[in-house]
Amino acid sequence: MASSSFQEPIGSTSAGASVKHTGTYLPFSYRLGVSGRLFIAIISGFLAAAVAGPAHRMGAASNIPYGLVLALLLVGLSAWAARSRSGVLGAGFHLLSSSAMAWLMAFPGPGGDVLVPVGGKGVFLSFFGLHAGYIWLFGVIVVQLVMLVFPQRWYQVHTVKRQADDTAADALVSDSVAADSAALDSAVSDSVVADSAVLDNQASGDPRTQS
């Protein structure tokens, strides 16, 4: 039972030069067409910023900005997946969609509420309480721009473990089939020998084999 391999153009060093990944059972999103992978890059950018935006202020009032670190890490991981899936072009679309969502959340909504407050002198007294919004809005852009200059090999997806598992499973199935085939051949051979002996006895006139 041979495993199937997919060779998809995952990632590129430029808009026109693709880099192929060879692996077994790549994730579904990696096997889509170019338009499908770019669409996922846009949607994932929106979602990453929408989730990370409200969380970036956690700990800011106490000058322990763990929420800001987690928010930028989430966007960075999503950007890594976008470039791994669609190359530099996918990372660019992810940058545009995530930064657009982050900045959109900094404007007042219909009721006047702001999900990403900036400034607030006299309300947020700590350093990160005052500047976490600015750091988030510019950081979501800077982090992804820095990731664009990393080498393409950092974004390759390998499935060595799954290939090894498939090889072991194939070997196990092959051994089982070989054992069953050997047992069947042995049984058929014994049956043929027994029938041949009966026919020989009948031909020689042995009364024990005659009905």
Side-chain angles (χ1 to χ4, degrees):
M1 181 176 59
S3 59
S4 59
S5 296
F6 301 99
Q7 291 188 347
E8 292 291 330
I10 312 300
S12 60
T13 53
S14 64
S18 62
V19 177
K20 290 188 176 182
H21 289 235
T22 301
T24 301
Y25 303 130
L26 289 175
F28 171 75
S29 61
Y30 283 69
R31 289 180 272 133
L32 296 175
V34 175
S35 58
R37 295 199 301 268
L38 292 179
F39 176 75
I40 291 180
I42 295 173
I43 296 301
S44 62
F46 276 120
L47 293 178
V51 173
H56 81 280
R57 295 199 63 84
M58 294 189 301
S62 303
N63 260 348
I64 307 176
Y66 63 90
L68 185 60
V69 173
L70 292 176
L72 294 175
L73 179 61
L74 175 60
V75 172
L77 291 175
S78 183
W80 182 93
R83 181 170 174 183
S84 174
R85 187 187 302 111
S86 307
V88 173
L89 186 61
F93 276 96
H94 186 278
L95 169 61
L96 292 176
S97 62
S98 59
S99 58
M101 174 59 75
W103 282 82
L104 183 63
M105 295 171 67
F107 290 93
D113 296 329
V114 178
L115 293 175
V116 181
V118 292
K121 186 176 181 180
V123 179
F124 306 111
L125 300 180
S126 64
F127 173 82
F128 284 105
L130 292 172
H131 301 93
Y134 292 113
I135 297 174
W136 159 247
L137 292 176
F138 290 102
V140 71
I141 300 174
V142 172
V143 166
Q144 296 183 75
L145 288 177
V146 171
M147 293 180 68
L148 285 175
V149 304
F150 291 161
Q152 181 63 31
R153 64 177 181 273
W154 290 16
Y155 299 90
Q156 293 180 353
V157 175
H158 301 285
T159 55
V160 176
K161 183 178 184 301
R162 306 193 89 178
Q163 289 176 340
D165 291 344
D166 289 342
T167 302
D170 290 344
L172 181 61
V173 171
S174 178
D175 292 341
S176 177
V177 170
D180 292 342
S181 178
L184 181 60
D185 291 343
S186 178
V188 171
S189 179
D190 293 342
S191 176
V192 170
V193 170
D195 292 343
S196 178
V198 171
L199 291 175
D200 291 342
N201 290 333
Q202 289 179 347
S204 64
D206 191 342
R208 291 176 299 175
T209 59
Q210 297 178 0
S211 57

